[in-house]
Amino acid sequence: MRVWRTIEEVPTELGRTVVTVGNFDGVHLGHQQVIRRACDVAAERQVDTVVAVTFDPHPFAVLRPEHAPLILTSIPDRIELLDAAGANAVLVLPFDRHVAGWSPEEFIDRVLAGALHAAAVVVGANFRFGNKAAGDVSLLEEAGRSRDFTVEGVALDGGPQVWSSTYVRTCLAAGDVEGAAEALGRPLSVRGVVVEGDHRGRELGFPTANLPTSEMAAVPADGVYAGRLRRLDTDEVFPAAVSVGTNPTFDGTRERRVESYALDRTDLELYGVEVEVAFVARLRGMERFAGVDELIEQMGRDVQRTRELVS
């Protein structure tokens, strides 16, 4: 996988390519469908390089920061997922107000025809680009005729609800991790380095690996989930009961946390270890219990339900 962080990093000797463009946040099934079609077009045209162009940061973070969405995948995770979907090169285009001001034609000339030597461009049928989103698939097709590339707009896919990053975020806001997984084609996961918490879980018999959500991508609504915990240093995977929230039984904390108890493991030393937490199913909402005994009883039920769902 070749990764370029600016247009200038793209080698001038790069041959013809097939290009697909989008935010690709989450690399959900809709994105994967577009990338598969780009790979098919590359095979038909006997082109070796399929380039996915994405943006960093999300354009809304620059243009309308008050409406910027929570990010489903970091750039490193996104690159990994784009690779798995079939792209063999990624251009991470730094997005700022200068780039936002490019007209559609300028974007085409600088990026598609210029740096990437596109032989074909494959995008979602609703693709918009350029200053004030003035460009669309029809404009791309017209430009391609004079710049020697073909264009294909891929119809959006999904069930009654078209797959989209917005749909995934809506599912997460409702705690519907199974709906999010259906759209993503995999369980939602978050990554981070384990930090010290209140040590309360260990005292209760359920030691947890704690990740502060402020340092991660979007997470599901507060509640308790069945999931999996993976150590990224050893690739070990453990069934885990996962709590998202602020510990209301103990008067809460200032920040939301993702706390994962690896089932039947009280011997893991994870402080400072990077882990991935995948959400499989929602067990219940976040509750405030009258006392510790009531909480421990419920945690035992959560663990048993997790065992049934994940093991």
Coordinates of all heavy atoms in Angstrom, one line a residue, residues 188-254:
L188 N -18.2 -2.3 15.0 CA -17.5 -1.1 15.2 C -16.4 -1.3 16.3 O -16.6 -2.1 17.2 CB -18.5 0.0 15.8 CG -17.7 1.3 16.3 CD1 -17.7 2.2 15.1 CD2 -18.4 1.9 17.5
S189 N -15.3 -0.7 16.1 CA -14.2 -0.9 17.1 C -13.5 0.5 17.3 O -13.6 1.4 16.4 CB -13.1 -1.9 16.6 OG -12.5 -1.5 15.4
V190 N -12.9 0.6 18.5 CA -12.2 1.8 18.8 C -10.8 1.4 19.4 O -10.7 0.3 19.9 CB -12.9 2.7 19.9 CG1 -14.2 3.3 19.3 CG2 -13.2 1.9 21.1
R191 N -9.8 2.2 19.2 CA -8.5 1.9 19.6 C -8.0 3.0 20.6 O -8.4 4.1 20.5 CB -7.5 1.7 18.4 CG -7.8 0.6 17.5 CD -6.8 0.5 16.4 NE -7.1 -0.7 15.5 CZ -6.3 -1.0 14.6 NH1 -5.1 -0.4 14.3 NH2 -6.6 -2.1 13.8
G192 N -7.1 2.6 21.4 CA -6.5 3.5 22.3 C -5.5 2.9 23.2 O -5.4 1.6 23.3
V193 N -4.8 3.7 24.0 CA -3.8 3.2 25.0 C -4.5 3.1 26.3 O -5.1 4.1 26.8 CB -2.5 4.0 25.0 CG1 -1.6 3.6 26.1 CG2 -1.8 4.0 23.6
V194 N -4.4 2.0 27.0 CA -5.0 1.8 28.3 C -4.4 2.7 29.3 O -3.1 2.8 29.5 CB -4.9 0.3 28.7 CG1 -5.5 0.1 30.1 CG2 -5.6 -0.6 27.7
V195 N -5.2 3.4 30.1 CA -4.8 4.3 31.1 C -5.3 3.8 32.5 O -6.2 3.0 32.6 CB -5.3 5.7 30.9 CG1 -4.8 6.3 29.6 CG2 -6.8 5.8 30.9
E196 N -4.7 4.3 33.5 CA -5.2 3.9 34.9 C -6.5 4.6 35.2 O -6.7 5.7 34.8 CB -4.1 4.4 35.9 CG -2.9 3.5 35.9 CD -2.1 3.6 37.2 OE1 -2.8 3.5 38.3 OE2 -0.9 3.7 37.2
G197 N -7.4 3.8 35.8 CA -8.7 4.3 36.2 C -8.8 4.5 37.7 O -7.8 4.8 38.3
D198 N -9.9 4.2 38.2 CA -10.1 4.3 39.7 C -9.8 3.0 40.4 O -9.9 3.0 41.7 CB -11.6 4.7 40.0 CG -12.0 5.9 39.3 OD1 -11.2 6.9 39.2 OD2 -13.1 6.0 38.7
H199 N -9.4 2.0 39.7 CA -9.1 0.7 40.3 C -10.3 0.1 41.0 O -10.2 -0.9 41.8 CB -7.9 0.8 41.3 CG -6.7 1.3 40.7 ND1 -5.8 0.5 39.9 CD2 -6.1 2.5 40.7 CE1 -4.8 1.3 39.5 NE2 -4.9 2.5 40.0
R200 N -11.5 0.6 40.7 CA -12.7 0.1 41.4 C -13.1 -1.3 40.8 O -13.6 -2.1 41.5 CB -13.8 1.1 41.2 CG -15.0 0.9 42.1 CD -15.9 2.1 42.1 NE -15.4 3.2 42.8 CZ -15.2 4.5 42.2 NH1 -15.5 4.7 41.0 NH2 -14.8 5.4 43.0
G201 N -12.9 -1.5 39.5 CA -13.3 -2.7 38.9 C -12.5 -3.9 39.5 O -13.1 -4.9 39.8
R202 N -11.2 -3.7 39.8 CA -10.4 -4.8 40.4 C -10.9 -5.1 41.8 O -11.0 -6.2 42.2 CB -9.0 -4.4 40.4 CG -8.0 -5.5 40.9 CD -6.5 -5.0 40.7 NE -6.2 -4.8 39.3 CZ -5.9 -5.8 38.5 NH1 -5.8 -7.0 38.9 NH2 -5.6 -5.5 37.2
E203 N -11.3 -4.0 42.5 CA -11.9 -4.2 43.9 C -13.2 -5.0 43.8 O -13.5 -5.8 44.8 CB -12.1 -2.9 44.5 CG -10.8 -2.1 44.8 CD -11.1 -0.7 45.2 OE1 -12.2 -0.3 45.4 OE2 -10.1 0.1 45.4
L204 N -13.9 -4.8 42.7 CA -15.2 -5.5 42.6 C -15.1 -6.9 42.0 O -16.1 -7.7 41.9 CB -16.2 -4.7 41.8 CG -16.5 -3.3 42.3 CD1 -17.4 -2.6 41.3 CD2 -17.2 -3.4 43.6
G205 N -13.9 -7.3 41.6 CA -13.7 -8.6 41.0 C -13.8 -8.6 39.5 O -13.7 -9.6 38.8
F206 N -13.9 -7.4 38.9 CA -14.0 -7.3 37.4 C -13.0 -6.2 36.9 O -13.4 -5.1 36.6 CB -15.4 -6.9 37.0 CG -16.5 -7.8 37.4 CD1 -17.1 -7.6 38.7 CD2 -16.8 -8.9 36.6 CE1 -18.1 -8.5 39.1 CE2 -17.8 -9.8 37.0 CZ -18.4 -9.6 38.2
P207 N -11.7 -6.5 36.9 CA -10.7 -5.5 36.5 C -10.9 -5.1 35.0 O -11.1 -5.9 34.2 CB -9.3 -6.2 36.7 CG -9.7 -7.6 36.6 CD -11.0 -7.8 37.2
T208 N -10.8 -3.8 34.8 CA -11.1 -3.3 33.4 C -9.9 -2.6 32.8 O -9.1 -2.0 33.5 CB -12.3 -2.4 33.4 OG1 -12.0 -1.2 34.3 CG2 -13.6 -3.1 33.9
A209 N -9.9 -2.6 31.5 CA -8.9 -1.8 30.7 C -9.7 -0.5 30.3 O -10.7 -0.6 29.7 CB -8.5 -2.6 29.5
N210 N -9.1 0.6 30.7 CA -9.8 1.9 30.5 C -9.3 2.7 29.4 O -8.1 3.0 29.3 CB -9.8 2.7 31.8 CG -10.4 1.9 33.0 OD1 -11.5 1.4 32.9 ND2 -9.6 1.8 34.1
L211 N -10.2 3.2 28.5 CA -9.8 4.1 27.4 C -10.6 5.4 27.6 O -11.8 5.3 27.6 CB -10.1 3.4 26.1 CG -9.4 2.1 25.8 CD1 -9.8 1.6 24.4 CD2 -7.9 2.2 25.9
P212 N -10.0 6.5 27.6 CA -10.7 7.8 27.7 C -11.3 8.1 26.3 O -10.5 8.1 25.3 CB -9.7 8.8 28.1 CG -8.4 8.2 27.6 CD -8.5 6.7 27.7
T213 N -12.6 8.3 26.2 CA -13.2 8.5 24.8 C -12.7 9.8 24.2 O -12.8 9.9 22.9 CB -14.7 8.5 25.0 OG1 -15.1 9.7 25.8 CG2 -15.2 7.3 25.6
S214 N -12.2 10.8 24.9 CA -11.8 12.0 24.3 C -10.6 11.8 23.3 O -10.4 12.7 22.5 CB -11.4 13.0 25.4 OG -10.3 12.5 26.2
E215 N -9.9 10.7 23.4 CA -8.8 10.4 22.5 C -9.1 9.5 21.4 O -8.2 9.0 20.7 CB -7.6 9.9 23.4 CG -7.1 10.9 24.4 CD -6.0 10.3 25.3 OE1 -5.6 9.2 25.0 OE2 -5.6 11.0 26.2
M216 N -10.4 9.1 21.3 CA -10.8 8.1 20.3 C -11.8 8.6 19.3 O -12.3 9.7 19.4 CB -11.3 6.9 21.1 CG -10.4 6.3 22.0 SD -11.0 4.8 22.8 CE -12.6 5.3 23.3
A217 N -12.1 7.8 18.4 CA -13.2 8.0 17.4 C -14.6 7.9 18.1 O -14.7 7.7 19.3 CB -13.1 7.1 16.3
A218 N -15.6 8.0 17.3 CA -17.0 7.9 17.9 C -17.2 6.6 18.6 O -16.7 5.5 18.2 CB -18.0 8.0 16.7
V219 N -17.9 6.7 19.7 CA -18.3 5.5 20.5 C -19.8 5.4 20.6 O -20.5 6.4 20.5 CB -17.6 5.5 21.8 CG1 -16.1 5.4 21.7 CG2 -18.0 6.7 22.6
P220 N -20.3 4.2 21.0 CA -21.8 4.1 21.1 C -22.3 4.8 22.3 O -21.5 5.3 23.2 CB -21.9 2.6 21.3 CG -20.7 1.9 20.9 CD -19.6 2.9 21.1
A221 N -23.6 5.0 22.4 CA -24.2 5.6 23.5 C -23.9 4.9 24.8 O -23.5 3.7 24.9 CB -25.8 5.6 23.3
D222 N -24.0 5.7 25.9 CA -23.7 5.1 27.3 C -24.5 3.8 27.4 O -25.7 3.7 27.1 CB -24.1 6.1 28.3 CG -23.1 7.3 28.4 OD1 -22.2 7.3 27.6 OD2 -23.3 8.1 29.3
G223 N -23.8 2.8 28.0 CA -24.5 1.5 28.3 C -23.4 0.4 28.4 O -22.2 0.7 28.5
V224 N -23.9 -0.8 28.5 CA -23.1 -2.0 28.6 C -23.2 -2.8 27.4 O -24.3 -3.1 26.9 CB -23.4 -2.7 29.9 CG1 -22.5 -4.0 30.0 CG2 -23.2 -1.8 31.1
Y225 N -22.1 -3.3 26.9 CA -22.1 -4.0 25.6 C -21.3 -5.3 25.7 O -20.3 -5.4 26.5 CB -21.4 -3.2 24.5 CG -22.2 -1.9 24.2 CD1 -22.0 -0.8 25.0 CD2 -23.1 -1.8 23.2 CE1 -22.6 0.4 24.8 CE2 -23.8 -0.6 23.0 CZ -23.6 0.5 23.8 OH -24.2 1.6 23.6
A226 N -21.7 -6.3 24.9 CA -20.8 -7.5 24.7 C -19.9 -7.2 23.6 O -20.3 -6.6 22.6 CB -21.7 -8.7 24.4
G227 N -18.6 -7.5 23.8 CA -17.6 -7.2 22.8 C -16.4 -8.1 22.9 O -16.4 -9.2 23.5
R228 N -15.3 -7.6 22.2 CA -14.1 -8.2 22.3 C -13.0 -7.2 22.5 O -13.0 -6.1 22.0 CB -13.8 -9.0 20.9 CG -14.8 -10.1 20.6 CD -14.4 -10.8 19.3 NE -15.3 -11.9 19.1 CZ -16.4 -11.8 18.4 NH1 -16.7 -10.6 17.8 NH2 -17.2 -12.8 18.2
L229 N -11.9 -7.6 23.2 CA -10.8 -6.8 23.5 C -9.6 -7.5 22.9 O -9.3 -8.7 23.1 CB -10.6 -6.7 25.0 CG -9.3 -6.0 25.5 CD1 -9.4 -4.5 25.3 CD2 -9.0 -6.3 27.0
R230 N -8.9 -6.7 22.0 CA -7.7 -7.2 21.4 C -6.4 -6.4 21.7 O -6.4 -5.2 21.6 CB -7.9 -7.2 19.8 CG -6.6 -7.7 19.0 CD -7.0 -8.0 17.6 NE -7.2 -6.8 16.8 CZ -6.3 -6.3 16.0 NH1 -5.1 -6.8 15.9 NH2 -6.6 -5.2 15.3
R231 N -5.4 -7.1 22.2 CA -4.1 -6.5 22.4 C -3.4 -6.3 21.1 O -3.3 -7.3 20.3 CB -3.2 -7.4 23.3 CG -3.7 -7.5 24.7 CD -2.6 -8.3 25.5 NE -1.3 -7.6 25.6 CZ -0.6 -7.6 26.7 NH1 -0.9 -8.2 27.8 NH2 0.6 -6.9 26.6
L232 N -3.0 -5.1 20.8 CA -2.4 -4.9 19.5 C -0.9 -5.2 19.5 O -0.3 -5.4 18.4 CB -2.6 -3.4 19.0 CG -4.0 -3.0 18.8 CD1 -4.1 -1.6 18.3 CD2 -4.8 -3.9 17.9
D233 N -0.3 -5.4 20.7 CA 1.1 -5.8 20.7 C 1.2 -7.3 20.5 O 2.2 -7.8 20.0 CB 1.7 -5.4 22.0 CG 1.0 -5.9 23.3 OD1 -0.1 -6.4 23.2 OD2 1.6 -5.9 24.3
T234 N 0.3 -8.1 20.9 CA 0.4 -9.6 20.8 C -0.7 -10.2 19.9 O -0.7 -11.4 19.6 CB 0.3 -10.3 22.2 OG1 -1.1 -10.0 22.8 CG2 1.3 -9.7 23.2
D235 N -1.7 -9.4 19.6 CA -2.9 -9.9 18.8 C -3.8 -10.9 19.5 O -4.6 -11.5 18.9 CB -2.4 -10.4 17.4 CG -3.4 -10.2 16.3 OD1 -4.1 -9.1 16.3 OD2 -3.6 -11.0 15.5
E236 N -3.6 -10.9 20.8 CA -4.5 -11.8 21.6 C -5.9 -11.2 21.7 O -6.0 -9.9 21.8 CB -4.0 -12.0 23.0 CG -2.7 -12.7 23.2 CD -2.2 -12.7 24.6 OE1 -1.6 -11.7 25.0 OE2 -2.5 -13.7 25.3
V237 N -6.9 -12.0 21.6 CA -8.3 -11.5 21.6 C -9.1 -12.2 22.8 O -9.0 -13.4 23.0 CB -9.0 -11.8 20.3 CG1 -10.5 -11.3 20.3 CG2 -8.3 -11.2 19.1
F238 N -9.8 -11.3 23.5 CA -10.6 -11.8 24.7 C -12.0 -11.4 24.6 O -12.3 -10.2 24.3 CB -10.0 -11.3 26.0 CG -8.5 -11.4 26.1 CD1 -7.7 -10.3 25.8 CD2 -7.9 -12.6 26.6 CE1 -6.3 -10.4 25.9 CE2 -6.5 -12.7 26.7 CZ -5.7 -11.6 26.3
P239 N -13.0 -12.3 24.8 CA -14.4 -11.9 25.0 C -14.4 -10.8 26.1 O -13.7 -11.0 27.2 CB -15.1 -13.1 25.4 CG -14.2 -14.3 25.0 CD -12.8 -13.8 25.1
A240 N -15.2 -9.8 26.0 CA -15.2 -8.7 27.0 C -16.5 -8.1 27.2 O -17.3 -7.9 26.2 CB -14.2 -7.6 26.6
A241 N -16.9 -7.8 28.4 CA -18.0 -7.0 28.8 C -17.5 -5.5 28.8 O -16.6 -5.2 29.5 CB -18.6 -7.4 30.1
V242 N -18.2 -4.7 28.1 CA -17.7 -3.3 27.8 C -18.7 -2.3 28.4 O -19.9 -2.3 28.0 CB -17.4 -3.1 26.4 CG1 -16.8 -1.7 26.2 CG2 -16.5 -4.1 25.8
S243 N -18.2 -1.4 29.2 CA -19.1 -0.3 29.7 C -18.7 1.0 29.1 O -17.5 1.3 29.0 CB -19.0 -0.2 31.2 OG -19.6 1.0 31.7
V244 N -19.6 1.8 28.6 CA -19.4 3.1 28.1 C -20.2 4.1 28.9 O -21.4 4.0 29.0 CB -19.8 3.2 26.6 CG1 -19.6 4.7 26.1 CG2 -19.1 2.2 25.7
G245 N -19.5 5.1 29.5 CA -20.2 6.0 30.3 C -19.3 6.6 31.4 O -18.1 6.7 31.3
T246 N -20.0 7.0 32.5 CA -19.3 7.8 33.5 C -19.4 7.3 34.9 O -19.2 8.0 35.9 CB -19.8 9.3 33.6 OG1 -21.3 9.2 33.8 CG2 -19.6 10.0 32.2
N247 N -19.7 6.0 35.1 CA -19.9 5.3 36.4 C -20.8 6.0 37.3 O -20.4 6.5 38.4 CB -18.5 5.2 37.1 CG -17.5 4.3 36.4 OD1 -17.9 3.3 35.8 ND2 -16.3 4.6 36.3
P248 N -22.1 6.1 37.0 CA -23.1 6.9 37.8 C -23.3 6.3 39.2 O -23.6 7.1 40.1 CB -24.4 6.8 37.0 CG -24.2 5.5 36.1 CD -22.8 5.5 35.8
T249 N -23.1 5.0 39.4 CA -23.2 4.4 40.8 C -22.3 5.1 41.8 O -22.5 5.2 42.9 CB -23.1 2.9 40.7 OG1 -24.1 2.4 39.9 CG2 -23.2 2.3 42.1
F250 N -21.1 5.5 41.3 CA -20.1 6.1 42.1 C -19.9 7.6 41.9 O -18.8 8.1 41.9 CB -18.7 5.4 41.9 CG -18.8 3.9 42.2 CD1 -18.9 3.0 41.2 CD2 -18.7 3.5 43.5 CE1 -19.0 1.6 41.5 CE2 -18.7 2.1 43.8 CZ -18.9 1.2 42.8
D251 N -21.1 8.2 41.6 CA -21.2 9.6 41.4 C -20.5 10.1 40.1 O -20.3 11.3 39.9 CB -20.6 10.4 42.6 CG -21.5 10.2 43.8 OD1 -22.7 10.0 43.7 OD2 -20.9 10.1 44.9
G252 N -20.1 9.2 39.2 CA -19.6 9.5 37.9 C -18.2 10.1 37.9 O -17.6 10.3 38.9
T253 N -17.8 10.2 36.6 CA -16.5 10.9 36.4 C -16.7 12.1 35.4 O -17.8 12.2 34.9 CB -15.5 9.9 35.7 OG1 -16.0 9.5 34.4 CG2 -15.3 8.7 36.6
R254 N -15.7 12.9 35.2 CA -15.9 14.0 34.4 C -15.9 13.6 32.9 O -16.5 14.4 32.1 CB -14.8 15.0 34.6 CG -14.9 15.7 35.9 CD -13.8 16.8 36.0 NE -14.0 17.6 37.2 CZ -13.2 18.7 37.5 NH1 -12.2 19.0 36.7 NH2 -13.4 19.3 38.7

